[in-house]
Amino acid sequence: MSEQKLLERFMWLSIAASAFVIALKIVAAVVTGSVGFFSDAVESLINLIAACVGLWAIKLAAKPADDNHNFGHARAEYLSAQVEGFLILVASVVIIIAAIGRIIEPQPLEQLGIGLAFSVVATVINAAVGFVLIRAGKKYRSTALDADGRHLITDLWTTVGVIVGMALVWLTGWEILDPIVALVVGANILFTGYSLLRGAILGLLSETLPEEEVATLKGFLADYSAANGVEFTSVRTTSAGRQRYVDLVMQVPGAWTVDRSHDHADVVEEGIAAALGDAETVIHVEPLGHPTTVGPKSA
């Protein structure tokens, strides 16, 4: 199975899990009349919408480069993360408003035991699917999968908080805890939405690769430089969705022919792709000692 088809299947898993979890949480909210359970259901609804957007983004990101998008469509995954972050912020506002309304006008809760049972099942499902998506997002460097997985894990902790709060209401009879729990949930979701939006915006701003990947790249270049008598300068990195990009200058002895320099450039490109788990590298060849005027001065 191709990597693209595998990523799409992960997103379909998220969609299916979110739809089932929403059903469980809606039942819990309706049966109990709890604003806490309602807030939990709203977050899962947002996650379902976001998962659908994520699936669209993964399909779009896989399209090859064309006349209007010379570097492909990989940044579509950042759009998915932005949409998901925005939707989470909207959900947090809805939840907070509902919680404040319940504080002003308290309402009795019913059948909390049934609601708790449904929420526990939803928690187990979110935990399993969330960790699968995050692991897959890291393995395949998919921003969309990682964002959706993190949202599911946030949903998991949200549900755990709601379960604890409702259990306390059940045991103590303090119904004011219901809207208080909802307020805490809303605040937590607000922070999650901010984090997702920040990460997606940084991606659009061509942020450098993670420190561990940059260290791997520098290690490869240092070894190659020592073994072949070349130097690397102006090393720049960035990413677009799952794709890594490296741009650098390779300074070679002035006596080298164009063919020899080109052969070394090919080897460096292949080596970087292997070291970083696939990367597109652009190499500019200059004679040793040539002054560098663009980007960082050395690897």
Side-chain angles (χ1 to χ4, degrees):
M1 182 186 302
S2 68
E3 181 177 305
Q4 177 62 25
K5 290 295 184 182
L6 190 59
L7 293 177
E8 291 177 15
R9 287 198 175 188
F10 278 122
M11 289 309 302
W12 277 115
L13 172 64
S14 176
I15 291 171
S18 295
F20 186 62
V21 165
I22 288 170
L24 292 175
K25 292 182 177 181
I26 287 177
V27 171
V30 171
V31 168
T32 62
S34 165
V35 71
F37 284 138
F38 165 75
S39 67
D40 206 15
V42 168
E43 183 178 9
S44 291
L45 175 61
I46 295 301
N47 191 64
L48 174 60
I49 297 173
C52 293
V53 174
L55 177 61
W56 165 82
I58 285 177
K59 286 179 175 290
L60 178 58
K63 288 186 175 182
D66 54 36
D67 291 339
N68 294 324
H69 305 87
N70 295 164
F71 292 93
H73 302 75
R75 291 189 186 275
E77 292 201 29
Y78 293 122
L79 176 61
S80 168
Q82 285 182 321
V83 170
E84 185 160 356
F86 175 75
L87 289 175
I88 291 174
L89 292 179
V90 172
S92 68
V93 173
V94 171
I95 292 169
I96 290 172
I97 291 175
I100 292 175
R102 185 60 63 87
I103 290 175
I104 296 174
E105 297 182 9
Q107 294 182 20
L109 304 181
E110 301 176 357
Q111 303 185 68
L112 280 177
I114 296 177
L116 288 170
F118 277 101
S119 289
V120 168
V121 174
T123 299
V124 173
I125 294 173
N126 275 340
V129 178
F131 284 117
V132 167
L133 291 182
I134 290 177
R135 184 176 179 181
K138 290 180 178 179
K139 180 178 180 179
Y140 299 107
R141 301 187 304 278
S142 171
T143 304
L145 276 184
D146 184 67
D148 203 60
R150 290 181 185 280
H151 189 186
L152 279 177
I153 295 302
T154 299
D155 197 10
L156 159 67
W157 290 116
T158 296
T159 306
V160 170
V162 170
I163 289 173
V164 172
M166 294 306 100
L168 290 174
V169 172
W170 193 20
L171 293 172
T172 65
W174 296 346
E175 294 181 348
I176 190 63
L177 290 175
D178 179 35
I180 292 176
V181 166
L183 282 175
V184 173
V185 169
N188 181 52
I189 297 174
L190 189 67
F191 177 76
T192 301
Y194 162 76
S195 298
L196 280 176
L197 281 174
R198 181 178 181 276
I201 291 172
L202 288 176
L204 290 175
L205 293 176
S206 297
E207 188 178 30
T208 59
L209 295 180
E211 289 184 8
E212 60 272 19
E213 294 187 12
V214 173
T216 298
L217 172 62
K218 288 183 175 181
F220 167 78
L221 294 178
D223 291 343
Y224 194 89
S225 176
N228 295 278
V230 299
E231 292 185 6
F232 296 99
T233 61
S234 299
V235 180
R236 294 179 290 179
T237 67
T238 189
S239 63
R242 301 192 300 275
Q243 183 62 50
R244 266 56 178 152
Y245 295 99
V246 178
D247 184 284
L248 56 83
V249 171
M250 181 175 69
Q251 295 190 337
V252 305
W256 280 15
T257 64
V258 173
D259 281 344
R260 184 175 181 182
S261 300
H262 183 269
D263 289 343
H264 277 272
D266 284 345
V267 174
V268 171
E269 290 174 3
E270 293 171 1
I272 291 175
L276 296 182
D278 193 18
E280 183 175 321
T281 303
V282 175
I283 299 176
H284 177 68
V285 177
E286 293 180 350
L288 278 170
H290 191 280
T292 299
T293 58
V294 179
K297 295 300 180 181
S298 66

